[in-house]
Amino acid sequence: MASGNESGAAAGGPPDAAAARAKALREQLNHHAWRYYTLDDPAIPDAEYDRLFQELQALEAAHPDLQTPDSPTQRVGGRLLEGFASVRHTVPMLSIRTETDTQASGATAFDARVRRELGLGEADPPVEYVAEPKFDGLAMSLRYEDGVLVQAATRGDGEVGEEVTQNVRTIGQIPLRISSPHALPLHGSLPPVPPLLEVRGEVYMRRDDFDALNARQREKGDKSFVNPRNAAAGAVRQLDPAIAAQRPLSFFAYGLGAITPPEQGGPQFDSHLELLQTLKSWGFPVAASVERVFGAAELAAYHARIGALRDSLPYDIDGVVYKVDSLSLQRRLGFVTREPRWAVAHKYPAQEQLTTVLAIDIQVGRTGKLTPVAKLAPVFVGGVTVTNATLHNLFEVRNKDVRVGDRVIVRRAGDVIPEVVGRVPSTTDSARAMLSSPGHAPRQPYVPNFRMPRRCPICASAVVREKGEANHRCTGGLFCSAQRKQAILHFAQRRAVEIEGLGDKLVDQLVDGGIVRTLPDLYRLGLVALTGLARMAEKSGQNILQALEKSKQTTLPRFLFGLGIRHVGEATAKELARHFGTLDAVMAASVEQLCEVSDIGPVVAQSVHTFFQQPHNREVVEQLRACGLTWPEGEPAARAPQPLAGQTVVLTGTLPTLSRDEAKDLLEAAGAKVAGSVSKKTHYVVAGTEAGSKLEKALALGIPVLDEAGMLELLKGAVP
Ligand code: IVH
């Protein structure tokens, strides 16, 4: 019987046709999973992948004996486990010595030790090393027999780990079968896959996957995870593989366990780098930042370079690892106890530290938002001493279950504000658990020792929380001195009317001393009042007066932004000014008219309208004008053409003629979004001199990089 329809013949046809089709589908799907997860370069649309996947699923359902351990259908689901079996590692999983000296001297000390052990003198050439990031996840050993993943095991105590194969199969970046078509263009001849191969590496969770996971957890009212490493460890040890499959994990290979020896036909590697390149060609993810370097100076330079990139990497690292590249030198160096002499982990300053919550205070912001702030026992984290960390709002406090007296983890990564990420279990926990566990009488409800105040701690006005809102607010408005201080600082900031030298210390003095109550009061300040303040010399007083004078010549968008109308940021202020042309027209606009402004919706329109309906706000505006604040006014302008609408641009380094703000203004006027960090979603990076990690990342991701001239061309629409 002849059939012209191949897939039809496979689905319903004789078993050998079905088997051939299943094999072809497995190969195709595994190849596309590698393109998608490991290379981040899918070759077919998701829908096509799904179609192939469903075809294989249907085939396996019809012929269960066609199901193989390397089938991509085995990545999802699986049976519920009762526990994990123990696995004895054929080759122990060692740890590496940690160099806690986070300075360049940490690298020099390692190199000096290696040279001494190898008996190298000053005249001998530098030692060749491979330098890698130290991924902050959990170590995993993947066992392949005849190229098929048969077992995944955690490190455990190094000798015996736990068998977590089912959960590890859900990790898209981990090949279920190693096959040769993964050859990368640069590789001529590939070593054949040995009958036995154990690949060692790190299972981790990307930061964006972690953030998304935590957002989902919060939405469901479930506990959020403290950091990506804990989330990854929890996912790997999850007994329900369906849950594990929903926790997106990633993998980087960095070494070998057992392998078929060369005498029995296994590959012969001479260097660690060669080994990593081979693993990569077999389809395993290897970090792009792995490099071969020579001698101590280059080790230290690598440490510094990756350190600068640390905050912009898509995953957490806690240091870098140096390994002697030559495998024969590695063998000569050998081990001390359980650590190789040929490797070291060179750390970075910790971004997380333990400390104690001494109190939970309330801060009142410009819009009246009450923010609970943890007062902490001082702790050195992320390069600074931290004594305060935000808890965002009451719900975060409850969700994280943080109380005064708790031991907590504080995190400060990059220049973001320090955050309490969670509490650590302590001895009081068993008491807490007892109180809430059934059978213990009397049972007491959970009693937090922090509450949101009913009255503003600054001005005693009522505190409210609008329905569906997470934030509590003080209703005192400009009656509240905390809000007044913030409002003044907002008005005086560089991107608003800019009053140079008017910082928070001075504003505290002026407001607390009753010298300034409203914005116009600023312009009524005299030298006598200013120099009467503590620590204010006559010269500084004069400087402030000059800055105030200078700030009177402003622009309508800056003035509107500076008023601090809720929901009116810089971009909205610019749109309002462009649309209406004059302040009077903005002030007179109805909600409907405001809604006609592009990018302004009903919420923003209502907020602007309500603001200018308040007599005291109109009064402030009139007084400011009376004090001499002026700006050019014009006709309502048509919207300029927006050649960069929908494009995201990142600025880095110093441009030859434009300031950072000027470049930002130009880009935004052309419709671009100016972002602070580079990601796959970035369309262009504009780089000047001394561009750092953002430029490196752009190059790594293949994002077009422009100089100032290139940016100006782009604005003219000349760059495609
Ligand atoms: S090599 C014999 N390379 O750090 C050397 N380990 O104590 C074996 N780690 O928990 C480890 N990134 O999971 C190596 N690039 C890297 C690493 C790395 C992270 C972890 C590893 C283990 C610890 C080593």
Side-chain angles (χ1 to χ4, degrees):
M1 191 174 66
S3 164
N5 182 336
E6 267 185 39
S7 67
D16 51 342
R21 180 64 185 156
K23 181 164 179 284
L25 285 169
R26 279 199 304 271
E27 278 168 11
Q28 279 183 54
L29 285 163
N30 280 331
H31 174 76
H32 289 302
W34 170 73
R35 300 268 320 213
Y36 182 90
Y37 290 107
T38 303
L39 297 192
D40 206 359
D41 180 24
I44 55 170
D46 292 0
E48 177 63 10
Y49 183 90
D50 293 345
R51 200 191 60 71
L52 295 171
F53 189 89
Q54 281 155 14
E55 187 186 340
L56 181 59
Q57 259 182 335
L59 262 178
E60 289 177 353
H63 310 282
D65 48 324
L66 288 181
Q67 211 176 69
T68 60
D70 67 325
S71 169
T73 60
Q74 301 306 297
R75 287 200 191 271
V76 282
R79 73 203 148 84
L80 197 69
L81 300 173
E82 276 166 14
F84 298 104
S86 294
V87 175
R88 178 163 288 279
H89 299 297
T90 24
V91 175
M93 291 182 79
L94 303 171
S95 58
I96 10 181
R97 183 194 157 103
T98 301
E99 179 57 75
T100 44
D101 174 355
T102 60
Q103 304 296 302
S105 37
T108 326
F110 170 64
D111 180 61
R113 265 199 314 277
V114 167
R115 294 184 72 86
R116 198 178 52 237
E117 298 284 347
L118 292 175
L120 297 177
E122 270 179 37
D124 292 306
V127 175
E128 296 180 22
Y129 297 102
V130 170
E132 310 173 2
K134 186 171 188 297
F135 313 107
D136 206 1
L138 64 152
M140 191 66 64
S141 187
L142 307 172
R143 187 179 172 93
Y144 291 82
E145 287 172 6
D146 296 321
V148 176
L149 175 69
V150 293
Q151 187 181 71
T154 62
R155 178 170 183 275
D157 63 3
E159 300 286 340
V160 177
E162 286 178 316
E163 206 246 76
V164 290
T165 320
Q166 251 199 149
N167 290 341
V168 167
R169 276 216 181 93
T170 67
I171 304 174
Q173 287 188 332
I174 292 184
L176 298 178
R177 169 189 283 277
I178 309 166
S179 49
S180 299
H182 291 159
L184 294 169
L186 290 178
H187 291 263
S189 65
L190 267 178
V193 180
L196 171 65
L197 172 70
E198 281 180 11
V199 176
R200 298 217 166 139
E202 198 87 347
V203 167
Y204 66 96
M205 191 176 285
R206 287 172 54 100
R207 289 178 179 155
D208 52 359
D209 286 335
F210 170 76
D211 291 339
L213 171 65
N214 261 357
R216 288 200 300 274
Q217 292 289 107
R218 276 191 215 111
E219 234 167 69
K220 287 190 292 182
D222 289 347
K223 262 220 147 61
S224 47
F225 296 94
V226 165
N227 57 34
R229 176 169 34 86
N230 285 21
V236 163
R237 301 197 70 260
Q238 178 48 247
L239 290 169
D240 183 348
I243 297 183
Q246 290 163 15
R247 309 254 168 96
L249 297 176
S250 300
F251 181 76
F252 274 128
Y254 56 61
L256 281 188
I259 183 163
T260 310
E263 310 86 76
Q264 292 168 31
Q268 168 85 58
F269 299 114
D270 293 327
S271 75
H272 180 66
L273 192 65
E274 189 193 340
L275 157 68
L276 291 182
Q277 281 167 343
T278 306
L279 289 177
K280 187 169 173 185
S281 72
W282 283 339
F284 292 91
V286 174
S289 42
V290 170
E291 272 177 43
R292 174 149 45 193
V293 298
F294 297 85
E298 289 189 21
L299 288 177
Y302 182 85
H303 183 262
R305 195 160 61 243
I306 299 295
L309 280 173
R310 185 184 186 188
D311 294 325
S312 62
L313 289 174
Y315 45 82
D316 281 0
I317 61 170
D318 57 349
V320 290
V321 178
Y322 309 137
K323 298 171 184 172
V324 170
D325 189 30
S326 154
L327 298 189
S328 65
L329 288 187
Q330 284 192 5
R331 280 188 288 273
R332 257 176 67 192
L333 285 160
F335 299 84
V336 239
T337 58
R338 315 210 44 73
E339 295 170 349
R341 283 201 194 84
W342 45 264
V344 79
H346 192 189
K347 299 277 245 179
Y348 292 120
Q351 290 178 322
E352 287 183 0
Q353 287 291 356
L354 277 181
T355 187
T356 306
V357 179
L358 304 176
I360 299 177
D361 282 3
I362 294 290
Q363 252 168 31
V364 184
R366 175 172 62 82
T367 59
K369 176 182 178 314
L370 268 55
T371 304
V373 175
K375 298 277 149 184
L376 305 166
V379 60
F380 191 72
V381 49
V384 294
T385 300
V386 169
T387 52
N388 295 321
T390 179
L391 284 161
H392 302 291
N393 59 50
L394 177 65
F395 301 96
E396 282 283 316
V397 180
R398 285 196 189 151
N399 196 275
K400 290 179 175 159
D401 191 12
V402 171
R403 306 176 207 201
V404 177
D406 275 351
R407 295 286 285 164
V408 291
I409 299 165
V410 185
R411 183 179 171 93
R412 181 182 178 275
D415 32 11
V416 297
I417 23 174
E419 201 195 11
V420 170
V421 289
R423 54 190 295 282
V424 283
S426 66
T427 45
T428 55
D429 274 26
S430 48
R432 266 196 217 185
M434 258 185 0
L435 290 176
S436 57
S437 69
H440 280 271
R443 277 170 64 196
Q444 285 178 19
Y446 158 68
V447 185
N449 59 9
F450 166 78
R451 283 178 189 287
M452 267 296 175
R454 284 158 191 272
R455 302 216 152 257
C456 172
I458 307 295
C459 72
S461 300
V463 167
V464 297
R465 180 173 65 88
E466 278 158 38
K467 228 178 151 198
E469 268 253 339
N471 296 326
H472 288 71
R473 282 177 202 283
C474 160
T475 53
L478 291 181
F479 173 72
C480 177
S481 68
Q483 292 185 53
R484 237 180 302 139
K485 287 176 185 174
Q486 295 299 320
I488 291 169
L489 286 168
H490 177 81
F491 184 76
Q493 71 176 291
R494 202 162 47 89
R495 297 190 69 90
V497 302
E498 185 168 27
I499 307 172
E500 221 174 299
L502 192 69
D504 48 6
K505 296 266 162 18
L506 181 54
V507 171
D508 279 351
Q509 283 181 302
L510 292 171
V511 173
D512 293 340
I515 303 163
V516 169
R517 287 192 51 84
T518 63
L519 292 177
D521 288 346
L522 287 172
Y523 293 94
R524 298 183 190 117
L525 283 172
L527 199 55
V528 177
L530 278 170
T531 48
L533 298 171
R535 290 186 303 277
M536 174 71 75
E538 181 162 336
K539 180 80 186 107
S540 325
Q542 265 161 357
N543 287 346
I544 295 288
L545 290 181
Q546 244 172 37
L548 280 160
E549 209 43 46
K550 194 172 158 211
S551 73
K552 289 181 182 173
Q553 307 295 325
T554 186
T555 67
L556 182 52
R558 282 169 171 270
F559 182 78
L560 279 170
F561 170 58
L563 289 176
I565 306 166
R566 216 169 146 197
H567 305 302
V568 177
E570 277 185 273
T572 307
K574 280 179 192 161
E575 280 302 312
L576 285 168
R578 186 192 55 74
H579 186 96
F580 291 102
T582 66
L583 180 62
D584 288 323
V586 179
M587 289 173 68
S590 67
V591 174
E592 291 71 36
Q593 286 167 330
L594 286 161
C595 277
E596 284 166 21
V597 180
S598 71
D599 293 339
I600 290 191
V603 174
V604 182
Q606 187 61 59
S607 167
V608 175
H609 184 72
T610 309
F611 183 91
F612 287 118
Q613 288 301 296
Q614 309 303 309
H616 63 266
N617 288 337
R618 300 184 82 94
E619 180 66 25
V620 163
V621 168
E622 289 325 320
Q623 286 185 21
L624 285 170
R625 284 206 266 212
C627 288
L629 268 88
T630 59
W631 49 85
E633 296 206 322
E635 291 300 308
R639 198 175 228 283
Q642 299 222 299
L644 296 186
Q647 309 263 338
T648 301
V649 181
V650 172
L651 292 164
T652 177
T654 312
L655 300 178
T657 69
L658 295 169
S659 73
R660 183 65 72 92
D661 282 345
E662 286 165 342
K664 185 169 183 246
D665 286 344
L666 286 172
L667 288 163
E668 283 177 349
K673 182 173 168 248
V674 178
S677 62
V678 178
S679 77
K680 274 192 294 187
K681 299 196 180 87
T682 308
H683 292 90
Y684 296 98
V685 168
V686 177
T689 51
E690 277 162 52
S693 62
K694 292 178 194 172
L695 176 58
E696 291 199 33
K697 192 156 176 219
L699 296 173
L701 290 174
I703 292 162
V705 176
L706 306 173
D707 58 6
E708 184 183 287
M711 181 189 99
L712 296 171
E713 289 295 301
L714 180 70
L715 289 166
K716 281 193 239 152
V719 175

